[in-house]
Amino acid sequence: MSASSSGTGAPSIRSINVRANLLAEWTTDQVQFRSEATRYALGIAICIALAVIAVPAIEGGRTSFVHAQQKHLASLNELKGALDQANDLKKAAEPGVASALLSSQTSAFFDRLMGESYGVLDAAKSGMAFTSVKVEVRAAEIVIDCRADAESFDIAVAFAQQAGRTNSKVSSLTGTRPNSMFGKNGVSFEYLKRVAAQ
């Protein structure tokens, strides 16, 4: 350290190299810029590579989806056409079905009516004779009203028991009175049977 004439130390003058500092700073900035540019370029390259791979796959999937959708739409239109045709056939067949059902129900009712009537007539016993048999349908019931004569009350009871063997709501002798024309024990009687029409 050099001393001045006054005895104090003289200040040291350092020279600052501005150019060197600027050059060092510029070099650092250039390295950082190149590093970032390389990183961005690499990222862009990866994105481009992925796009090159993914876009054809996505496009193929989209095309496949569109074809499948068109196929399903065609199938749906076919099914709609078949359903419309089936509905038209159903509407056209409804009167025939209703007529067939009515015919079947009428036939079944007639068979039941005749079956019940013949059942009562077939229950007639030896020693009795019908004077009248009336068969009516009232409020969904088959009503059979008989008047007959028998040689005895027991014959009338046996007839009523056999005539009422089917599922009947009412099956009974509704009145008896002596009738000497059929012998000493002869009776005239009335029989009533009521069964459900269905």
Side-chain angles (χ1 to χ4, degrees), residues 19-192:
R19 285 185 187 173
N21 287 342
L22 287 173
L23 183 59
E25 189 177 341
W26 181 81
T27 304
T28 304
D29 287 344
Q30 283 297 314
V31 169
Q32 188 176 357
F33 173 76
R34 284 188 184 129
S35 173
E36 287 180 5
T38 303
R39 192 171 65 234
Y40 287 133
L42 186 60
I44 290 169
I46 290 171
C47 287
I48 290 171
L50 288 175
V52 166
I53 294 169
V55 166
I58 291 170
E59 182 61 24
R62 188 190 72 80
T63 305
S64 169
F65 174 76
V66 168
H67 285 314
Q69 191 176 22
Q70 288 173 345
K71 185 178 177 183
H72 293 323
L73 189 60
S75 297
L76 182 62
N77 288 334
E78 247 179 70
L79 288 172
K80 280 182 180 176
L83 181 61
D84 290 343
Q85 188 177 4
N87 283 334
D88 291 343
L89 289 172
K90 181 184 171 189
K91 284 179 184 174
E94 277 176 0
V97 170
S99 176
L101 180 62
L102 182 61
S103 174
S104 172
Q105 290 174 339
T106 303
S107 177
F109 174 74
F110 180 75
D111 290 345
R112 182 164 175 75
L113 179 69
M114 295 307 293
E116 291 294 338
S117 302
Y118 285 132
V120 170
L121 294 174
D122 287 344
K125 302 295 180 187
S126 175
M128 67 169 278
F130 290 108
T131 56
S132 70
V133 176
K134 184 166 68 171
V135 180
E136 294 179 309
V137 178
R138 296 184 215 150
E141 286 184 341
I142 298 171
V143 180
I144 303 172
D145 190 2
C146 301
R147 284 173 170 58
D149 298 311
E151 293 176 351
S152 69
F153 181 73
D154 291 340
I155 293 174
V157 169
F159 161 75
Q161 285 175 344
Q162 184 165 347
R165 281 187 174 177
T166 57
N167 294 332
S168 52
K169 293 182 177 180
V170 174
S171 174
S172 65
L173 293 172
T174 57
T176 58
R177 59 186 177 282
N179 184 349
S180 57
M181 290 180 63
F182 269 73
K184 181 172 72 167
N185 297 321
V187 293
S188 292
F189 66 91
E190 296 171 6
Y191 170 77
L192 178 68

Side-chain angles (χ1 to χ4, degrees), residues 11-15:
S12 168
I13 298 173
R14 294 183 181 173
S15 71

